[in-house]
Amino acid sequence: MEPYAQHLEKHMRKVVIDPVTRVEGHGKVTIVQDDEGHIDRTRLLIVEFRGFERFVQGRPYWEAPVVVQRLCGICPVSHHLAAAKAMDVVVGVGPDGLSPTAEKMRRLMHYGQMLQSHALHFYHLCSPDLLFGFDSAVMKRNVLAVAAEYPDLAYQGIMLRKYGQEIIKSTAGKKIHGTGAIPGGINKNLSTAERDSHLKDIDRIIDWSKASVDLVKKVHGQNPDYFDGFASFESNHLSIVRKDGALDLYHGNLRAVDKDGEKIFDQVEPADYLEHIGEEIKSWSYMKFPFIRKLGKRKGWYRVGPLARLNCCDFIPSPLAQKEFEEFRAYTGGKPNNFSLHYHWARMIEMLHSAEMIKELLTDKDLQGTDLVRMGKKTHEGVGLIEAPRGTLFHHYKVDDRDQITMCNLIVSTTNNNEPMNSAVAKVADQHLEGKKITEDLLNYVEVAIRAYDPCLSCATHALGRMPLKLELRDTRGNLIHSLIRGASGS
Amino acid sequence: MAKPKIATTSLAGCFGCHMSVLDIDERILKLAELVDFDKSPINDIKRFTGQCEVGLIEGGCANAENVEVLRYFRDHCKILISLGECAIMGGLPAMRNGIPLKECLQEAFLNGPSVVDGMIPNDPDLPLILDKVYPCHEVVKIDYFLPGCPPNADLIWESLVALLSGKEADLPYELIKYD
Ligand code: SF4
């Protein structure tokens, strides 16, 4: 029996997109359509399962920052730091107890990560859609085609990412899966030679980041109504913010706002996250569905990531990005921006902010300090939160007297966006597939919507799967009637 | 003469090996002069357009779909390379190999402290999870192995250039030292 066939009512067929490409990780979309072309339901699902929560049990706590980052090679720094922050609590130091050198080295690492990840997503993965159009030829939809037509832009993207990776190497020891952060601090400071080599290029990086914001605004300006309407819907938004309401990507407390900007909760300490956030499980995906408990499963889902962060915070503490932020806020009259494609705009503003913060940190003498690690009174439980490039990341561990991990709970950024991405897929299906014979070109529209969220299905896979896209049309008995499989088997 | 083609895929990996490929930075433009990219998650080619010279495999096999993809690559690539620890020996995901799969699923979907009304996902659309995570060479023949987690970008670059130009790879100690 074919998948779903027995559940499908008469005259229904199922379209599967497998794999979704130019996203990090692996995923799959199914669309059920009736004979008239009416869209009955859509799903974005994650088909892979890893089991991290279980197999880190019994491992020594200090291994977590090194091991758990292997969930995801795209933003390993985020997992590395979130785990380290949770373990800071376990070793009795806590977020406010780190030495200035340790905290600033970690921040530098994190802004480097933000810069490289945002550049990667925008230039390497999404720029073909934005520069060539959503329905451009398949062979053009990649960064090398962008390089052929806009060599300066592609070069800029590659060098922005490279700069971020070099910052990570200087702070974490390695570009991917480094070891810099350890419970209670950091294991190296920044040498003056490293500092000078980064300082030499930072002004150019800031200029390029500013140019990236301008590029998004230019693309948007070409067809604002289309850009605004594409896959858009209203939602709640969640992120961490600093105590004074500023955007802070490294540390703060949780804030959630609704679609009108009213606060649902504010300044929730990381350790109290469980009182406010729950996760629903659905039978058809390994990716969980988080929600705000107070609002319940149906109404409590929320968005995270660049768009949500700019909707939650009150200001950005760096001048150039703050200026862009004011323009961003003014566009929706100070209310939350609920347009899916504006994730790109918000993302580039954050990239600019990260570049500015890197410059500020590089000139800070504390980075050459030698007070690297502190220890306090051990505890048995720690929660570490961070704003990863893709949104709020939760790490929660319990550790026993023998220093072994006994419990690990992870809510990764992309998982928070599970329902929003499903809503975006449903919205695009409604806007662009309803009543039509689905073609391969139309499928890219679905992927464009998913891509806006910069899903990292690698992370989301810690308990789950991969992000392929396969398209099949089946009749009510589940027989294949038409196939546009772009998936693995290719048959 | 047409340029040789290269394809890449991520099985049960974290994408870090793909990121390390991108860490060759500007040289990616040079690589594009040497080869054409075929099926890969970084472009939109979802099916092979023809036979490829080189296939890079990241990640081991954790579910039935991984096995299917790996065989599909073996069929379409003259030279298959296991890229990184996960492909070579299962890597981090293989840490579950000593634990019954059911316990892993229970921990994630029933016991997690944020889980509300837990259940273990079970749907025909979800591929069958294998009992263990398998290294790629236990599933198909693999021609070369590039170790590291992830392999150093320079190692990837040197090896690919050597392979494509038929010259012997010049790999200094720093490049074959790995974690
Ligand atoms: S070898 Fe390392 S970097 Fe490569 S996929 Fe596995 S965990 Fe990720």
Side-chain angles (χ1 to χ4, degrees):
Chain A
M1 202 44 131
E2 292 295 338
Y4 283 123
Q6 66 271 48
H7 303 306
L8 298 183
E9 299 114 60
K10 263 196 167 156
H11 312 302
M12 292 284 184
R13 59 190 175 174
K14 185 175 66 171
V15 178
V16 184
I17 311 180
D18 181 13
V20 180
T21 45
R22 281 188 292 127
V23 297
E24 299 94 347
H26 336 72
K28 166 169 163 178
V29 173
T30 63
I31 301 166
V32 173
Q33 196 182 35
D34 71 14
D35 286 349
E36 268 93 61
H38 172 68
I39 304 292
D40 187 68
R41 77 163 178 261
T42 59
R43 285 172 175 174
L44 164 68
L45 53 129
I46 296 294
V47 299
E48 219 172 284
F49 175 81
R50 297 265 190 275
F52 265 81
E53 293 92 340
R54 174 62 186 84
F55 67 63
V56 300
Q57 290 177 5
R59 309 299 306 183
Y61 72 84
W62 45 262
E63 263 187 21
V66 179
V67 168
V68 180
Q69 66 181 335
R70 261 102 181 160
L71 283 174
C72 177
I74 299 134
C75 50
V77 167
S78 311
H79 288 286
H80 184 56
L81 292 176
K85 286 176 80 178
M87 293 313 173
D88 290 343
V89 179
V90 167
V91 299
V93 174
D96 304 318
L98 291 180
S99 72
T101 304
E103 160 145 358
K104 287 174 184 171
M105 280 296 284
R106 288 191 191 179
R107 280 183 178 270
L108 181 60
M109 192 194 303
H110 192 47
Y111 292 121
Q113 159 79 0
M114 207 50 91
L115 183 77
Q116 77 84 14
S117 176
H118 281 0
L120 168 83
H121 179 260
F122 186 72
Y123 286 98
H124 298 63
L125 303 176
C126 290
S127 67
D129 296 326
L130 299 173
L131 296 172
F132 300 140
F134 301 168
D135 48 9
S136 56
V138 171
M139 297 311 267
K140 263 187 108 163
R141 297 202 303 251
N142 63 71
V143 67
L144 294 175
V146 173
E149 218 153 301
Y150 303 93
D152 294 349
L153 272 187
Y155 180 75
Q156 185 174 306
I158 288 170
M159 298 314 276
L160 278 163
R161 174 171 185 274
K162 179 180 182 179
Y163 187 86
Q165 290 288 82
E166 297 286 354
I167 292 276
I168 294 172
K169 193 176 172 193
S170 301
T171 47
K174 214 170 139 222
K175 288 183 175 177
I176 299 165
H177 300 327
T179 53
I182 51 180
I186 192 95
N187 64 15
K188 78 183 281 286
N189 64 8
L190 193 75
S191 70
T192 49
E194 287 167 328
R195 178 196 67 194
D196 294 343
S197 83
H198 296 311
L199 268 178
K200 175 167 68 54
D201 295 323
I202 186 64
D203 286 326
R204 193 156 62 141
I205 294 299
I206 292 176
D207 289 347
W208 277 342
S209 301
K210 171 79 178 62
S212 306
V213 181
D214 293 339
L215 178 61
V216 180
K217 287 197 279 190
K218 191 173 137 207
V219 172
H220 173 256
Q222 287 160 356
N223 201 346
D225 293 342
Y226 184 77
F227 206 84
D228 295 351
F230 190 84
S232 287
F233 52 88
E234 295 179 330
S235 77
N236 305 311
H237 301 270
L238 176 127
S239 82
I240 60 178
V241 293
R242 207 164 72 182
K243 289 224 162 58
D244 60 358
L247 177 77
D248 191 334
L249 303 169
Y250 175 75
H251 190 67
N253 291 330
L254 287 164
R255 173 185 284 179
V257 300
D258 68 13
K259 64 174 171 44
D260 300 315
E262 295 299 323
K263 293 192 178 80
I264 302 167
F265 54 71
D266 196 11
Q267 297 299 336
V268 169
E269 298 274 343
D272 298 330
Y273 82 102
L274 279 176
E275 281 169 35
H276 298 274
I277 307 290
E279 292 184 285
E280 185 186 3
I281 316 278
K282 296 191 181 172
S283 65
W284 46 269
S285 179
Y286 284 124
M287 186 152 72
K288 297 171 191 172
F289 290 80
F291 60 94
I292 295 165
R293 289 185 193 258
K294 190 159 81 178
L295 302 178
K297 289 178 193 168
R298 287 186 64 95
K299 295 208 172 123
W301 56 275
Y302 52 85
R303 283 192 269 212
V304 298
L307 188 78
R309 286 192 285 254
L310 296 203
N311 284 332
C312 283
C313 75
D314 300 326
F315 65 99
I316 298 183
S318 68
L320 296 176
Q322 168 63 15
K323 211 163 148 266
E324 298 296 334
F325 174 72
E326 284 164 17
E327 191 179 334
F328 177 88
R329 268 296 173 87
Y331 188 73
T332 48
K335 296 276 181 201
N337 182 322
N338 284 297
F339 306 131
S340 284
L341 287 184
H342 286 228
Y343 261 97
H344 294 295
W345 187 6
R347 197 172 283 120
M348 291 302 100
I349 295 175
E350 285 191 347
M351 185 161 87
L352 177 59
H353 170 60
S354 303
E356 289 184 279
M357 295 308 284
I358 289 170
K359 181 168 181 182
E360 192 184 308
L361 282 165
L362 285 175
T363 49
D364 191 323
K365 295 249 175 324
D366 279 343
L367 288 181
Q368 281 77 48
T370 50
D371 179 8
L372 302 182
V373 192
R374 290 181 179 173
M375 289 289 157
K377 193 173 169 316
K378 275 269 210 41
T379 66
H380 287 105
E381 188 166 356
V383 176
L385 258 52
I386 198 163
E387 283 297 328
R390 291 154 190 82
T392 317
L393 169 65
F394 302 70
H395 276 219
H396 178 194
Y397 303 90
K398 287 187 186 165
V399 174
D400 67 13
D401 286 334
R402 294 180 303 158
D403 288 350
Q404 290 178 354
I405 295 169
T406 56
M407 194 281 303
C408 161
N409 190 42
L410 309 168
I411 306 178
V412 299
S413 319
T414 297
T415 300
N416 290 298
N417 270 338
N418 196 354
E419 186 63 42
M421 289 190 297
N422 269 284
S423 297
V425 170
K427 190 77 197 207
V428 176
D430 193 41
Q431 289 173 328
H432 296 281
L433 308 181
E434 173 68 26
K436 292 194 189 147
K437 181 169 158 40
I438 297 177
T439 64
E440 187 134 15
D441 286 345
L442 283 177
L443 280 187
N444 193 47
Y445 284 74
V446 176
E447 293 183 84
V448 166
I450 296 170
R451 257 173 231 135
Y453 290 81
D454 189 9
C456 177
L457 300 156
S458 232
C459 289
T461 297
H462 70 279
L464 298 302
R466 85 199 18 248
M467 187 103 186
L469 267 194
K470 171 162 72 188
L471 186 121
E472 295 170 2
L473 302 188
R474 294 178 184 279
D475 65 17
T476 46
R477 284 174 302 282
N479 298 320
L480 196 65
I481 48 182
H482 183 51
S483 161
L484 282 175
I485 303 178
R486 305 184 288 181
S489 65
S491 51
Chain B
M1 207 179 89
K3 287 188 269 184
K5 288 198 276 194
I6 175 166
T8 77
T9 191
S10 171
L11 307 177
C14 77
F15 253 73
C17 290
H18 272 81
M19 291 302 114
S20 204
V21 173
L22 293 182
D23 277 339
I24 64 175
D25 299 321
E26 319 81 283
R27 288 171 290 180
I28 191 101
L29 302 173
K30 258 203 226 161
L31 186 62
E33 288 169 17
L34 290 176
V35 295
D36 279 330
F37 274 86
D38 204 277
K39 179 176 162 55
S40 167
I42 64 164
N43 59 35
D44 277 2
I45 305 176
K46 308 202 185 207
R47 296 167 68 173
F48 279 106
T49 61
Q51 283 300 119
C52 288
E53 187 70 17
V54 179
L56 295 175
I57 310 289
E58 168 194 301
C61 292
N63 65 28
E65 199 175 86
N66 298 151
V67 172
E68 212 180 312
V69 177
L70 182 56
R71 291 197 176 129
Y72 183 49
F73 264 72
R74 181 70 276 181
D75 287 347
H76 288 82
C77 300
K78 205 170 121 198
I79 298 167
L80 218 48
I81 303 179
S82 271
L83 185 66
E85 297 311 316
C86 293
I88 294 175
M89 50 190 202
L92 249 280
M95 275 174 74
R96 80 159 160 89
N97 285 3
I99 300 164
L101 179 59
K102 200 163 160 213
E103 279 183 31
C104 293
L105 289 162
Q106 282 170 340
E107 189 62 26
F109 298 110
L110 301 179
N111 304 343
S114 45
V115 169
V116 178
D117 306 329
M119 65 167 143
I120 292 177
N122 180 17
D123 188 280
D125 269 354
L126 299 173
L128 203 63
I129 303 177
L130 304 180
D131 60 335
K132 288 195 171 118
V133 179
Y134 293 88
C136 294
H137 66 269
E138 287 190 15
V139 178
V140 299
K141 174 174 176 282
I142 297 288
D143 302 290
Y144 294 99
F145 300 84
L146 292 182
C149 178
N152 186 303
D154 294 330
L155 171 66
I156 297 172
W157 170 252
E158 290 298 332
S159 310
L160 281 181
V161 170
L163 210 51
L164 294 165
S165 62
K167 291 198 200 96
E168 198 167 320
D170 173 24
L171 300 176
Y173 174 71
E174 302 83 70
L175 294 192
I176 49 171
K177 183 169 69 98
Y178 47 85
D179 63 359

